[in-house]
Amino acid sequence: MLRTALRNVLAHKARLLMTVLAVVLGVAFVSGTLVFTDTLSKALSSQSAKSYDGVAVSVTSYGQTRNEDGQKEGEVGLSQQTLDKVRALGGVASVSGRVSGFAGVGDESGKLIGSGWSNKGSNYAPGKDGKDPRYTFTAGAGPARADQVALDKATADTGKYKVGDKVRVATNGPVKEYTLSGVFTTEDGAVSAGGSLVLFDTAVAQDLYLKPGFYEELSVAAKAGTSADRLLAEIKPLLDPENTKAQTGAELAREQAKDVEKGMSSMNQMLLAFAGIALFVGIFLIYNTFTMLVTQRTKELALLRAVGANRGQVMRSVLAEALVVGVVSAVIGLVSGVGLAVGMRSAIESFGAKLPAGDLVIAPATVVAALVIGVLVTTLAALLPAWRTGRIAPVAAMGSAHLPATAKSLVVRNILGSVISLAGIGVVMLGVSMGGDGRMVIGAGAFFMLIGLIVILPLLSKPVIAAIRPALQKVFGVPGKLAAQNAVRNPRRTAVTAASLAIGLTLVTTLSVLGITMGKAVDRMSTDKLKADYKVSMAAEGMPLDKSVAETLAKDPAVKAVSEQAAGFLKIGDGFRSASGVNPAGIGKLLNIETVSGSVDSLGKGEVLVAEKTAKEKNLTVGSALPVQYDDGQKATLKVGGVFKDLEGLLSPYVLDNKILAAHSDDQYIREVYVNTAGGASKANQQAVVDALGKNPAMKVATQQDMRNEMGGIINMMLNIMYGLLGMALIISVLGVVNTLAMSVFERTQEIGMLRAIGLDRRRVKNMIRLEAVVISLFGAVLGVVIGIFLAWAVGTTLAKAVPNYALVLPWDRIGIFLLLAAVVGVLAAMWPARSAARLNMLTAIKTE
């Protein structure tokens, strides 16, 4: 029986090729993901460990904390006195203090070099030998004066800077010019991530990022013969335990390695999820393939039963074929996955990211996973066809080439599928009723709904395809009529083929509808609520602007109105609440603040505006007294001057004059500055704002369209990534259509010969096969689109309250493209089967059994 199974595998290479490709794609995605993430994780961990070579103990400051009254307490960082105490310990060889923050370097045209979020500034901390062990200089030396900086080699090369050149560097304030003292190489993660690293003199860095005389971190090197653990025990008593954390360099390296692994896990899970979808779709193709192969060999299998093979042996022979296919596919998929991992690395680096060098990691777990997945998926998919094979009676099989499902089995299947589908829809609706907490419930319901629909697809296929048969016959004549009849001749096979397309289109449609809807909501928010010509913010997402930005722009004659949007906190009742500090004179001209009661002008009187939702929750109205505690612990009572309609994403629930907030905060966080210019938005006025800011490379001046595109661009990028990942599932679906049509042609060889004999020419035979493919493809696609829209609506209801201006948008243009692509998929998938059918010899075909 084993020899028989191997012979059958070799005898049906063409049929099994599609199955092998489907499994290879899925396994390649899984193994490629694991190899890529393992390789990157190890490289990042090794890089992190290198940066702590020679560090026996690391001390990190938590910064200031708040007491029960909300007042800040504790030191800001680690003082010079603490560093001196640590240095005085007997086992300490050297101590270097570190402080860091954002720093952007402009090229010769003033454009920011590197990715904004990974542009970093730090201090150069030389030891007794005059060198800083973290950096190796290829030219010049570290900064020794306040007007000097050093640059990493990649940044210096990009900006074409040489030692002695003037370099424009920006932090979160006005851009400043420094002299380049040296160029260095480093293992710093910011540089590896495609950013830049600027080294300042220590006093300059402290003044920029923390406070004169204070550090964020101390790196301690031990003398020969002194253990890191012993040194750690000596250092801890010198520190404030509530404000600092001390650990050995080895512990810190291990901790960062875990952080790297944790950070990689989200990407790993996302990629594996899409690999799982591809494999799930592949199961339908494998199931179909083995069902067709078993049908082809009905007489052969019956003969084996007749000569003594029992049901178990026949079943095991089919499973043995699946096992061989699974092992071969898994091995090819594993090798392909390694190539995919290398390709993923190259693709990421082509976008400007610099990944750390490291050897390719092919873990034993990856090899085992590839083999297990390949074999398991193939064997499970072939299990039902194999079980059916074992149930074939020798005499019945010898007399029939086709064994259609019994009416009883289809009735049971339809009842079961209907129950599962309705239960899934019920669970989805339960999730909808739960609001924002119901997304996981909707996901579970969607899974059962899809499974149920897959089960009842044979029942759905007949009436749906029967409904379009007249149109096909009218437009395409006899080939159209025959194509519709052939599509429902074997409803099980049609259903399984359409199911793979339906799953892919369900996911694509759901993501598209949600993505477009979210994009439109953001666009409406920008259009309806934003009146400013420009928004000034840092190029590095999340970095605060310096307070001088708004002051500088307010003095420019081209600027008509300006207001910062400063984030702060007010302690109201027993907790801190988010507050926005704005310029009362300009905010009304820059944002469309609709008041329910009171007036925006009340901000100029020192009063507070409260968002409508918050006002209802706190029972506040115009004139209400609002006791608050500021950031510095001082208490006051504010008068409510107005209640406005919520502007989530633009303003906090509490809005007041920023002069009041700033008076109670030393380090206020200014997210953005809104600007209106004389004459409105234009390229000239935009350039005037850029010039007023000193052509600062670390700041971006965005137009209203830029602001709309900012969020829309993120959504579109995410959608494109999803489309790319789901493309694999659709490719497998195409293979399924090819396989189904090929088997359909094989089964109908005699019939096609008869059709040719009575006058159906080759062109019409090809059209018949093509139309059959298009019908099956569109049936699956339409089903997927309908389910996708339903699920997008369900998920959207859970987002509606959290997203202002949310309203479901159906992107008919994209849906039309999806359906058109499904039809094209059908035509392309039918090319080989249609050509094979048209080339059949009529006489030979008629004689075929």
Side-chain angles (χ1 to χ4, degrees), residues 425-482:
I425 293 171
V427 173
V428 170
M429 297 308 294
L430 175 64
V432 169
S433 67
M434 293 170 65
D437 299 325
R439 285 167 211 152
M440 294 298 292
V441 176
I442 290 174
F447 174 77
F448 286 108
M449 186 176 71
L450 281 172
I451 294 297
L453 287 170
I454 289 167
V455 174
I456 61 169
L457 272 182
L459 176 66
L460 294 174
S461 63
K462 286 189 175 182
V464 172
I465 295 176
I468 64 171
R469 186 189 303 168
L472 287 172
Q473 184 174 351
K474 186 175 181 180
V475 176
F476 299 101
V478 174
K481 179 181 179 180
L482 292 173

Side-chain angles (χ1 to χ4, degrees), residues 123-145:
N123 64 306
Y124 180 66
K128 294 178 181 178
D129 58 357
K131 298 179 180 179
D132 190 326
R134 289 195 180 184
Y135 313 106
T136 302
F137 279 81
T138 59
R145 302 194 311 266

Side-chain angles (χ1 to χ4, degrees), residues 30 42 201 227 289 365 393 395 437 475 541 559 597 677 743 797:
V30 171
K42 184 178 179 182
D201 175 69
S227 71
T289 300
V395 175
D437 299 325
V475 176
E541 190 70 30
V559 173
S597 57
T677 51
M743 183 57 196
T797 58

Side-chain angles (χ1 to χ4, degrees), residues 29 54 62 94 109 125 129 194 462 474:
F29 209 158
Y62 290 136
S94 64
S109 63
D129 58 357
K462 286 189 175 182
K474 186 175 181 180

Side-chain angles (χ1 to χ4, degrees), residues 300-597:
E300 174 193 326
L301 294 168
L303 182 59
L304 289 173
R305 292 289 311 279
V307 298
N310 60 35
R311 289 184 176 184
Q313 287 176 312
V314 173
M315 180 178 174
R316 285 194 294 273
S317 71
V318 176
L319 290 177
E321 293 176 43
L323 183 65
V324 171
V325 171
V327 171
V328 171
S329 304
V331 171
I332 298 173
L334 177 61
V335 175
S336 304
V338 174
L340 180 63
V342 175
M344 289 170 71
R345 181 189 180 95
S346 300
I348 289 175
E349 288 182 338
S350 69
F351 286 104
K354 300 173 186 176
L355 301 180
D359 297 330
L360 205 63
V361 178
I362 306 175
T366 301
V367 177
V368 171
L371 292 172
V372 169
I373 289 170
V375 172
L376 194 63
V377 167
T378 311
T379 306
L380 285 176
L383 193 59
L384 186 56
W387 178 75
R388 287 176 178 166
T389 302
R391 292 173 60 86
I392 296 174
V395 175
M398 294 281 279
S400 176
H402 306 288
L403 295 170
T406 64
K408 179 182 177 182
S409 68
L410 286 175
V411 169
V412 171
R413 174 174 180 155
N414 293 337
I415 292 173
L416 183 64
S418 299
V419 170
I420 296 173
S421 299
L422 291 173
I425 293 171
V427 173
V428 170
M429 297 308 294
L430 175 64
V432 169
S433 67
M434 293 170 65
D437 299 325
R439 285 167 211 152
M440 294 298 292
V441 176
I442 290 174
F447 174 77
F448 286 108
M449 186 176 71
L450 281 172
I451 294 297
L453 287 170
I454 289 167
V455 174
I456 61 169
L457 272 182
L459 176 66
L460 294 174
S461 63
K462 286 189 175 182
V464 172
I465 295 176
I468 64 171
R469 186 189 303 168
L472 287 172
Q473 184 174 351
K474 186 175 181 180
V475 176
F476 299 101
V478 174
K481 179 181 179 180
L482 292 173
Q485 290 176 339
N486 292 332
V488 293
R489 175 176 293 187
N490 191 327
R492 287 176 181 270
R493 187 184 304 156
T494 297
V496 172
T497 306
S500 58
L501 275 168
I503 292 169
L505 265 298
T506 295
L507 295 171
V508 168
T509 303
T510 303
L511 293 171
S512 295
V513 173
L514 286 174
I516 298 298
T517 299
M518 292 292 287
K520 292 291 184 182
V522 171
D523 188 67
R524 279 193 294 271
M525 182 177 71
S526 301
T527 304
D528 298 343
K529 306 301 181 185
L530 197 62
K531 296 194 290 185
D533 296 333
Y534 307 106
K535 181 183 79 172
V536 179
S537 60
M538 294 295 289
E541 190 70 30
M543 283 292 300
L545 290 165
D546 189 79
K547 62 181 180 180
S548 62
V549 172
E551 296 169 358
T552 301
L553 289 172
K555 296 174 184 176
D556 192 278
V559 173
K560 194 167 64 174
V562 62
S563 175
E564 64 272 42
Q565 212 280 60
F569 291 94
L570 298 173
K571 188 175 183 182
I572 300 172
D574 58 353
F576 282 88
R577 311 297 177 193
S578 173
S580 290
V582 298
N583 176 9
I587 194 64
K589 302 171 186 175
L590 300 163
L591 295 181
N592 184 16
I593 304 176
E594 297 181 53
T595 53
V596 178
S597 57

Side-chain angles (χ1 to χ4, degrees), residues 38-57:
D38 287 346
T39 299
L40 186 56
S41 180
K42 184 178 179 182
L44 289 170
S45 297
S46 298
Q47 181 190 62
S48 176
K50 282 182 185 178
S51 66
Y52 290 102
D53 282 348
V55 177
V57 176

Side-chain angles (χ1 to χ4, degrees), residues 56-57 89-92 220 222-237 247-248 251:
V57 176
L89 294 173
V92 172
V220 185
K223 288 181 179 179
T226 303
S227 71
D229 290 332
R230 176 187 164 188
L231 199 56
L232 179 63
E234 293 179 355
I235 290 173
K236 279 187 173 181
Q247 57 193 141
T248 64
E251 286 175 342

Side-chain angles (χ1 to χ4, degrees), residues 733-739 741 773 777 824-834:
S733 301
V734 173
L735 298 178
V737 177
V738 173
N739 231 16
L741 291 174
S777 298
V824 171
V825 161
V827 173
L828 294 176
M831 288 179 65
W832 172 51

